[in-house]
Amino acid sequence: MRHFELLIIGAGPAGLTAALYAARDGVETALLTGDLPGGALMLTTTVENFPGFPDGISGYELMMRMMQQAEKFGANIVRENAISVDLKTHPFRVRTNSDEYSCAALIIATGASPKMLGLPSEEKFIGRGISTCATCDGFLYRGKVVCVIGGGNTAIEEALHLTAHARKVFLIHRRDQLRATKALQERAFANEKIEFIWNSVVIDILGEERVSGIKIRDVISGQDRQLSVDGVFVAIGRKPNTSLFADQIRLDDEGYIVVDELQRTNIPMVFAAGDVSDKTFRQAVTAAASGCKAAIMAVRYLAELKEAGYPPPWV
Ligand code: NAP
């Protein structure tokens, strides 16, 4: 069992910023990266809206720099995946696939994952024509026909990215208006490779070994039709990664961890930051900011604990 004053779970902008702030303040800090060190930004191409990079920066490079910066100030970046968490006793316990940790303060920064359509045929084709990441898989569809499902910023960014590879991109949206920002909408409308299919939902994914088409339903007329596509990119939003904590911490009705304005959860000394507790902004810069706030609060409470005689005998 390894003990740290502060343990952070998740290595996106929230977790890494928290690690930077806490370690720089002299707190013994470890961060469990999980399977994808760097988080969801590792899968994006250029990040154009993180302040300080007027020419943009690749998601990968941005995250690598954040990791280096946290390590430079003494944070222990541990490439392990948390598989169970016990918040009912203090110090809190976190088990990974290869070790066990205890900590006086915990910051949960586990992010959010893509939502899926929930069709039985969808599972069959994951990795065989269904994807949630155009940046990762777009190059597989050079010269092919693909569709993107969704009408938010992610869907439009995915569609625009795919036009660099595919010869045609259908954008299938369940309403007749996009949720994406105007700037993105305009870029998509101006792109000849993108064809919008409005008021339509995907009701089945077709194929033998790989995806060869989809069945869609027009929600106004109720009519079904088939569309031949080689790839389906699902971009219908995200769900928070809270399964490790679900029965131990207060979540809202969509599964996000409930935090106050100081990133505190309902459990003393447990904080949450980034997309796992943010369904509104979900930006790298807001995640980093919430990670900073969580770390400042954790450092403050740890100092109070120390004043009261920390480390206690159980450490
Ligand atoms: P989102 O904004 O929640 O959009 C999800 C889209 O999927 C909506 O158009 C929704 O339709 C549709 N949808 C949801 N469930 C569906 C279902 N079961 N079947 C069919 N369609 C469904 O999610 P997002 O696009 O992933 O964006 C998440 C957050 O990240 C947002 O805050 C967004 O602004 C942000 N983001 C920002 C950038 C950027 O700034 N460059 C890039 C990507 C994401 P309705 O519209 O009908 O609800």
Side-chain angles (χ1 to χ4, degrees):
M1 167 105 63
R2 300 171 67 189
H3 180 80
F4 289 92
E5 289 174 307
L6 171 65
L7 195 65
I8 298 164
I9 308 180
L16 289 169
T17 305
L20 162 66
Y21 269 76
R24 191 167 172 273
D25 258 342
V27 166
E28 290 168 44
T29 302
L31 179 149
L32 302 176
T33 64
D35 291 331
L36 184 64
L41 267 191
M42 298 291 269
L43 306 176
T44 63
T45 44
T46 310
V47 180
E48 292 179 331
N49 51 9
F50 198 87
F53 300 95
D55 301 322
I57 181 168
S58 83
Y60 175 84
E61 195 183 344
L62 180 61
M63 299 322 296
M64 286 298 118
R65 285 188 186 203
M66 284 193 193
M67 212 175 283
Q68 281 165 9
Q69 200 173 355
E71 279 185 308
K72 176 180 151 187
F73 288 104
N76 297 275
I77 308 288
V78 184
R79 286 171 173 72
E80 289 175 29
N81 200 8
I83 53 172
S84 71
V85 171
D86 182 359
L87 305 179
K88 296 194 175 84
T89 54
H90 196 257
F92 308 118
R93 299 279 172 95
V94 177
R95 192 183 285 278
T96 69
N97 24 18
S98 55
D99 218 331
E100 196 176 359
Y101 295 82
S102 65
C103 59
L106 179 71
I107 296 179
I108 300 170
T110 45
S113 299
K115 272 190 201 160
M116 300 306 286
L117 295 167
L119 298 170
S121 47
E122 191 174 41
E123 248 170 58
K124 174 177 165 196
F125 292 118
I126 287 278
R128 288 189 284 157
I130 295 190
S131 170
T132 55
C133 177
T135 311
C136 321
D137 300 330
F139 72 99
L140 297 170
Y141 297 92
R142 190 161 291 277
K144 302 204 164 163
V145 178
V146 298
C147 68
V148 176
I149 303 159
N153 281 333
T154 304
I156 299 302
E157 283 192 345
E158 296 275 281
L160 286 166
H161 181 85
L162 285 163
T163 58
H165 305 284
R167 73 170 193 277
K168 180 154 192 87
V169 180
F170 292 107
L171 192 301
I172 299 165
H173 184 36
R174 63 183 178 183
R175 292 187 294 135
D176 64 355
Q177 271 183 343
L178 297 172
R179 186 179 288 278
T181 59
K182 218 164 180 58
L184 274 173
Q185 292 195 24
E186 279 166 9
R187 279 173 61 196
F189 291 144
N191 194 309
E192 287 175 356
K193 281 193 180 176
I194 301 178
E195 179 178 333
F196 287 84
I197 300 182
W198 302 107
N199 299 313
S200 297
V201 292
V202 176
I203 54 169
D204 203 6
I205 295 168
L206 313 169
E208 293 294 329
E209 286 302 302
R210 288 189 58 84
V211 169
S212 62
I214 51 174
K215 194 187 251 190
I216 55 176
R217 176 165 297 160
D218 185 315
V219 294
I220 309 277
S221 68
Q223 280 194 331
D224 295 348
R225 67 172 163 133
Q226 287 187 13
L227 215 57
S228 293
V229 297
D230 305 293
V232 177
F233 287 80
V234 181
I236 59 170
R238 295 155 68 72
K239 61 174 184 332
N241 297 322
T242 48
S243 57
L244 279 181
F245 322 96
D247 52 348
Q248 303 184 62
I249 205 163
R250 188 177 303 146
L251 306 177
D252 72 9
D253 49 13
E254 290 172 63
Y256 288 85
I257 296 179
V258 177
V259 289
D260 65 9
E261 72 285 1
L262 303 178
Q263 305 303 136
R264 294 178 298 192
T265 69
N266 64 314
I267 302 175
M269 301 305 287
V270 178
F271 306 83
D275 287 7
V276 75
S277 58
D278 170 20
K279 59 184 162 200
T280 309
F281 301 108
R282 299 184 276 195
Q283 302 297 300
V285 69
T286 51
S290 65
C292 161
K293 289 199 281 180
I296 289 174
M297 293 314 298
V299 170
R300 207 169 278 176
Y301 285 125
L302 282 165
E304 283 175 17
L305 263 190
K306 274 184 185 163
E307 264 180 41
Y310 178 84
W314 34 252
V315 172

mmCIF file of all heavy atoms in Angstrom, residues 207-237:
data_model
loop_
_atom_site.group_PDB
_atom_site.id
_atom_site.type_symbol
_atom_site.label_atom_id
_atom_site.label_comp_id
_atom_site.label_asym_id
_atom_site.label_seq_id
_atom_site.Cartn_x
_atom_site.Cartn_y
_atom_site.Cartn_z
ATOM 1 N N GLY A 207 -24.772 -4.830 -42.092
ATOM 2 C CA GLY A 207 -23.496 -5.349 -42.582
ATOM 3 C C GLY A 207 -23.307 -6.799 -42.193
ATOM 4 O O GLY A 207 -24.079 -7.331 -41.376
ATOM 5 N N GLU A 208 -22.286 -7.423 -42.791
ATOM 6 C CA GLU A 208 -21.938 -8.800 -42.409
ATOM 7 C C GLU A 208 -20.771 -8.734 -41.428
ATOM 8 O O GLU A 208 -20.987 -8.652 -40.243
ATOM 9 C CB GLU A 208 -21.556 -9.612 -43.667
ATOM 10 C CG GLU A 208 -22.731 -9.844 -44.626
ATOM 11 C CD GLU A 208 -23.814 -10.742 -44.018
ATOM 12 O OE1 GLU A 208 -23.487 -11.615 -43.204
ATOM 13 O OE2 GLU A 208 -25.003 -10.526 -44.342
ATOM 14 N N GLU A 209 -19.546 -8.727 -41.946
ATOM 15 C CA GLU A 209 -18.372 -8.629 -41.078
ATOM 16 C C GLU A 209 -18.125 -7.192 -40.613
ATOM 17 O O GLU A 209 -17.698 -6.940 -39.498
ATOM 18 C CB GLU A 209 -17.125 -9.129 -41.825
ATOM 19 C CG GLU A 209 -17.056 -10.636 -41.978
ATOM 20 C CD GLU A 209 -17.100 -11.348 -40.631
ATOM 21 O OE1 GLU A 209 -16.228 -11.061 -39.797
ATOM 22 O OE2 GLU A 209 -18.014 -12.161 -40.418
ATOM 23 N N ARG A 210 -18.374 -6.249 -41.533
ATOM 24 C CA ARG A 210 -18.163 -4.827 -41.254
ATOM 25 C C ARG A 210 -19.427 -4.056 -41.619
ATOM 26 O O ARG A 210 -20.291 -4.574 -42.313
ATOM 27 C CB ARG A 210 -17.010 -4.284 -42.124
ATOM 28 C CG ARG A 210 -15.621 -4.753 -41.703
ATOM 29 C CD ARG A 210 -14.581 -3.986 -42.492
ATOM 30 N NE ARG A 210 -14.712 -2.537 -42.297
ATOM 31 C CZ ARG A 210 -14.172 -1.874 -41.273
ATOM 32 N NH1 ARG A 210 -13.451 -2.508 -40.384
ATOM 33 N NH2 ARG A 210 -14.333 -0.569 -41.156
ATOM 34 N N VAL A 211 -19.476 -2.823 -41.199
ATOM 35 C CA VAL A 211 -20.622 -1.962 -41.544
ATOM 36 C C VAL A 211 -20.686 -1.758 -43.057
ATOM 37 O O VAL A 211 -19.666 -1.484 -43.697
ATOM 38 C CB VAL A 211 -20.465 -0.584 -40.860
ATOM 39 C CG1 VAL A 211 -21.484 0.407 -41.407
ATOM 40 C CG2 VAL A 211 -20.585 -0.703 -39.358
ATOM 41 N N SER A 212 -21.880 -1.936 -43.608
ATOM 42 C CA SER A 212 -22.043 -1.641 -45.033
ATOM 43 C C SER A 212 -23.172 -0.626 -45.250
ATOM 44 O O SER A 212 -23.358 -0.123 -46.360
ATOM 45 C CB SER A 212 -22.331 -2.916 -45.830
ATOM 46 O OG SER A 212 -23.542 -3.485 -45.371
ATOM 47 N N GLY A 213 -23.928 -0.350 -44.201
ATOM 48 C CA GLY A 213 -25.000 0.629 -44.368
ATOM 49 C C GLY A 213 -25.733 0.867 -43.061
ATOM 50 O O GLY A 213 -25.422 0.264 -42.029
ATOM 51 N N ILE A 214 -26.707 1.783 -43.141
ATOM 52 C CA ILE A 214 -27.548 2.041 -41.961
ATOM 53 C C ILE A 214 -28.999 2.150 -42.408
ATOM 54 O O ILE A 214 -29.285 2.418 -43.588
ATOM 55 C CB ILE A 214 -27.154 3.352 -41.242
ATOM 56 C CG1 ILE A 214 -27.096 4.523 -42.238
ATOM 57 C CG2 ILE A 214 -25.847 3.211 -40.498
ATOM 58 C CD1 ILE A 214 -26.857 5.859 -41.563
ATOM 59 N N LYS A 215 -29.888 1.911 -41.464
ATOM 60 C CA LYS A 215 -31.307 2.152 -41.736
ATOM 61 C C LYS A 215 -31.699 3.381 -40.927
ATOM 62 O O LYS A 215 -31.414 3.424 -39.711
ATOM 63 C CB LYS A 215 -32.110 0.942 -41.296
ATOM 64 C CG LYS A 215 -33.535 0.946 -41.830
ATOM 65 C CD LYS A 215 -34.315 -0.186 -41.226
ATOM 66 C CE LYS A 215 -34.591 -1.254 -42.264
ATOM 67 N NZ LYS A 215 -35.562 -2.255 -41.753
ATOM 68 N N ILE A 216 -32.290 4.362 -41.596
ATOM 69 C CA ILE A 216 -32.689 5.569 -40.868
ATOM 70 C C ILE A 216 -34.195 5.793 -41.004
ATOM 71 O O ILE A 216 -34.817 5.350 -41.971
ATOM 72 C CB ILE A 216 -31.931 6.833 -41.366
ATOM 73 C CG1 ILE A 216 -32.087 7.031 -42.874
ATOM 74 C CG2 ILE A 216 -30.470 6.779 -40.986
ATOM 75 C CD1 ILE A 216 -31.449 8.311 -43.375
ATOM 76 N N ARG A 217 -34.728 6.456 -40.000
ATOM 77 C CA ARG A 217 -36.170 6.768 -39.999
ATOM 78 C C ARG A 217 -36.356 8.270 -39.971
ATOM 79 O O ARG A 217 -35.767 8.966 -39.126
ATOM 80 C CB ARG A 217 -36.841 6.132 -38.787
ATOM 81 C CG ARG A 217 -38.320 6.472 -38.655
ATOM 82 C CD ARG A 217 -39.005 5.548 -37.676
ATOM 83 N NE ARG A 217 -38.952 4.162 -38.145
ATOM 84 C CZ ARG A 217 -39.122 3.097 -37.349
ATOM 85 N NH1 ARG A 217 -39.388 3.263 -36.069
ATOM 86 N NH2 ARG A 217 -39.043 1.877 -37.838
ATOM 87 N N ASP A 218 -37.169 8.760 -40.892
ATOM 88 C CA ASP A 218 -37.554 10.170 -40.881
ATOM 89 C C ASP A 218 -38.605 10.345 -39.772
ATOM 90 O O ASP A 218 -39.672 9.724 -39.829
ATOM 91 C CB ASP A 218 -38.135 10.545 -42.253
ATOM 92 C CG ASP A 218 -38.437 12.027 -42.352
ATOM 93 O OD1 ASP A 218 -39.033 12.581 -41.383
ATOM 94 O OD2 ASP A 218 -38.119 12.626 -43.367
ATOM 95 N N VAL A 219 -38.268 11.167 -38.757
ATOM 96 C CA VAL A 219 -39.160 11.245 -37.598
ATOM 97 C C VAL A 219 -40.424 12.057 -37.888
ATOM 98 O O VAL A 219 -41.387 12.016 -37.119
ATOM 99 C CB VAL A 219 -38.431 11.825 -36.353
ATOM 100 C CG1 VAL A 219 -37.345 10.880 -35.876
ATOM 101 C CG2 VAL A 219 -37.856 13.207 -36.616
ATOM 102 N N ILE A 220 -40.448 12.783 -39.011
ATOM 103 C CA ILE A 220 -41.655 13.533 -39.386
ATOM 104 C C ILE A 220 -42.609 12.631 -40.184
ATOM 105 O O ILE A 220 -43.779 12.482 -39.841
ATOM 106 C CB ILE A 220 -41.306 14.793 -40.238
ATOM 107 C CG1 ILE A 220 -40.211 15.631 -39.561
ATOM 108 C CG2 ILE A 220 -42.564 15.601 -40.567
ATOM 109 C CD1 ILE A 220 -40.646 16.582 -38.491
ATOM 110 N N SER A 221 -42.059 12.000 -41.238
ATOM 111 C CA SER A 221 -42.934 11.189 -42.105
ATOM 112 C C SER A 221 -43.075 9.749 -41.605
ATOM 113 O O SER A 221 -43.987 9.039 -42.019
ATOM 114 C CB SER A 221 -42.363 11.166 -43.531
ATOM 115 O OG SER A 221 -41.149 10.425 -43.532
ATOM 116 N N GLY A 222 -42.123 9.332 -40.724
ATOM 117 C CA GLY A 222 -42.152 7.943 -40.246
ATOM 118 C C GLY A 222 -41.592 6.955 -41.259
ATOM 119 O O GLY A 222 -41.599 5.751 -41.023
ATOM 120 N N GLN A 223 -41.084 7.463 -42.375
ATOM 121 C CA GLN A 223 -40.583 6.557 -43.418
ATOM 122 C C GLN A 223 -39.151 6.102 -43.135
ATOM 123 O O GLN A 223 -38.322 6.889 -42.686
ATOM 124 C CB GLN A 223 -40.628 7.248 -44.766
ATOM 125 C CG GLN A 223 -42.025 7.215 -45.352
ATOM 126 C CD GLN A 223 -42.049 7.589 -46.816
ATOM 127 O OE1 GLN A 223 -41.207 8.349 -47.270
ATOM 128 N NE2 GLN A 223 -43.023 7.066 -47.522
ATOM 129 N N ASP A 224 -38.910 4.822 -43.443
ATOM 130 C CA ASP A 224 -37.567 4.267 -43.271
ATOM 131 C C ASP A 224 -36.876 4.164 -44.625
ATOM 132 O O ASP A 224 -37.533 3.958 -45.644
ATOM 133 C CB ASP A 224 -37.643 2.850 -42.676
ATOM 134 C CG ASP A 224 -38.220 2.861 -41.276
ATOM 135 O OD1 ASP A 224 -38.337 3.966 -40.703
ATOM 136 O OD2 ASP A 224 -38.565 1.782 -40.774
ATOM 137 N N ARG A 225 -35.539 4.295 -44.596
ATOM 138 C CA ARG A 225 -34.783 4.033 -45.810
ATOM 139 C C ARG A 225 -33.371 3.588 -45.429
ATOM 140 O O ARG A 225 -32.938 3.783 -44.298
ATOM 141 C CB ARG A 225 -34.742 5.237 -46.736
ATOM 142 C CG ARG A 225 -33.971 6.423 -46.189
ATOM 143 C CD ARG A 225 -33.838 7.489 -47.269
ATOM 144 N NE ARG A 225 -33.476 8.759 -46.711
ATOM 145 C CZ ARG A 225 -32.514 9.540 -47.195
ATOM 146 N NH1 ARG A 225 -31.825 9.149 -48.258
ATOM 147 N NH2 ARG A 225 -32.237 10.698 -46.643
ATOM 148 N N GLN A 226 -32.715 2.973 -46.421
ATOM 149 C CA GLN A 226 -31.357 2.506 -46.171
ATOM 150 C C GLN A 226 -30.363 3.408 -46.869
ATOM 151 O O GLN A 226 -30.657 3.967 -47.920
ATOM 152 C CB GLN A 226 -31.193 1.074 -46.680
ATOM 153 C CG GLN A 226 -31.893 0.073 -45.799
ATOM 154 C CD GLN A 226 -31.592 -1.374 -46.189
ATOM 155 O OE1 GLN A 226 -30.679 -1.641 -46.959
ATOM 156 N NE2 GLN A 226 -32.364 -2.285 -45.652
ATOM 157 N N LEU A 227 -29.185 3.497 -46.266
ATOM 158 C CA LEU A 227 -28.124 4.329 -46.820
ATOM 159 C C LEU A 227 -26.855 3.483 -46.814
ATOM 160 O O LEU A 227 -26.542 2.866 -45.794
ATOM 161 C CB LEU A 227 -27.945 5.510 -45.858
ATOM 162 C CG LEU A 227 -27.587 6.888 -46.348
ATOM 163 C CD1 LEU A 227 -28.606 7.396 -47.359
ATOM 164 C CD2 LEU A 227 -27.527 7.842 -45.147
ATOM 165 N N SER A 228 -26.154 3.426 -47.926
ATOM 166 C CA SER A 228 -24.898 2.664 -47.949
ATOM 167 C C SER A 228 -23.776 3.522 -47.382
ATOM 168 O O SER A 228 -23.510 4.608 -47.918
ATOM 169 C CB SER A 228 -24.543 2.279 -49.391
ATOM 170 O OG SER A 228 -25.483 1.371 -49.866
ATOM 171 N N VAL A 229 -23.154 3.048 -46.319
ATOM 172 C CA VAL A 229 -21.985 3.756 -45.760
ATOM 173 C C VAL A 229 -20.949 2.717 -45.320
ATOM 174 O O VAL A 229 -21.294 1.584 -44.985
ATOM 175 C CB VAL A 229 -22.339 4.656 -44.548
ATOM 176 C CG1 VAL A 229 -23.283 5.779 -44.929
ATOM 177 C CG2 VAL A 229 -22.913 3.843 -43.404
ATOM 178 N N ASP A 230 -19.686 3.126 -45.328
ATOM 179 C CA ASP A 230 -18.609 2.228 -44.892
ATOM 180 C C ASP A 230 -18.271 2.434 -43.418
ATOM 181 O O ASP A 230 -17.661 1.563 -42.798
ATOM 182 C CB ASP A 230 -17.347 2.490 -45.725
ATOM 183 C CG ASP A 230 -17.626 2.367 -47.210
ATOM 184 O OD1 ASP A 230 -17.913 1.249 -47.655
ATOM 185 O OD2 ASP A 230 -17.585 3.407 -47.922
ATOM 186 N N GLY A 231 -18.630 3.594 -42.904
ATOM 187 C CA GLY A 231 -18.287 3.890 -41.508
ATOM 188 C C GLY A 231 -19.348 4.754 -40.855
ATOM 189 O O GLY A 231 -19.987 5.584 -41.512
ATOM 190 N N VAL A 232 -19.546 4.538 -39.534
ATOM 191 C CA VAL A 232 -20.533 5.308 -38.765
ATOM 192 C C VAL A 232 -19.796 5.953 -37.590
ATOM 193 O O VAL A 232 -19.178 5.239 -36.786
ATOM 194 C CB VAL A 232 -21.645 4.378 -38.222
ATOM 195 C CG1 VAL A 232 -22.636 5.155 -37.358
ATOM 196 C CG2 VAL A 232 -22.359 3.662 -39.353
ATOM 197 N N PHE A 233 -19.842 7.263 -37.513
ATOM 198 C CA PHE A 233 -19.213 7.976 -36.390
ATOM 199 C C PHE A 233 -20.311 8.516 -35.477
ATOM 200 O O PHE A 233 -21.133 9.328 -35.902
ATOM 201 C CB PHE A 233 -18.306 9.103 -36.913
ATOM 202 C CG PHE A 233 -17.047 8.558 -37.531
ATOM 203 C CD1 PHE A 233 -17.056 8.054 -38.827
ATOM 204 C CD2 PHE A 233 -15.873 8.513 -36.817
ATOM 205 C CE1 PHE A 233 -15.904 7.503 -39.393
ATOM 206 C CE2 PHE A 233 -14.709 7.972 -37.359
ATOM 207 C CZ PHE A 233 -14.728 7.466 -38.654
ATOM 208 N N VAL A 234 -20.342 8.005 -34.255
ATOM 209 C CA VAL A 234 -21.389 8.387 -33.306
ATOM 210 C C VAL A 234 -20.877 9.573 -32.488
ATOM 211 O O VAL A 234 -19.808 9.491 -31.868
ATOM 212 C CB VAL A 234 -21.745 7.203 -32.372
ATOM 213 C CG1 VAL A 234 -22.857 7.596 -31.407
ATOM 214 C CG2 VAL A 234 -22.142 5.979 -33.191
ATOM 215 N N ALA A 235 -21.630 10.686 -32.538
ATOM 216 C CA ALA A 235 -21.195 11.910 -31.830
ATOM 217 C C ALA A 235 -22.418 12.556 -31.180
ATOM 218 O O ALA A 235 -22.799 13.679 -31.495
ATOM 219 C CB ALA A 235 -20.531 12.864 -32.819
ATOM 220 N N ILE A 236 -23.041 11.810 -30.251
ATOM 221 C CA ILE A 236 -24.311 12.276 -29.677
ATOM 222 C C ILE A 236 -24.156 12.721 -28.224
ATOM 223 O O ILE A 236 -25.123 12.743 -27.477
ATOM 224 C CB ILE A 236 -25.401 11.190 -29.782
ATOM 225 C CG1 ILE A 236 -24.967 9.909 -29.054
ATOM 226 C CG2 ILE A 236 -25.720 10.888 -31.250
ATOM 227 C CD1 ILE A 236 -26.093 8.891 -28.909
ATOM 228 N N GLY A 237 -22.958 13.100 -27.842
ATOM 229 C CA GLY A 237 -22.754 13.597 -26.487
ATOM 230 C C GLY A 237 -21.943 12.627 -25.653
ATOM 231 O O GLY A 237 -21.431 11.634 -26.158
#
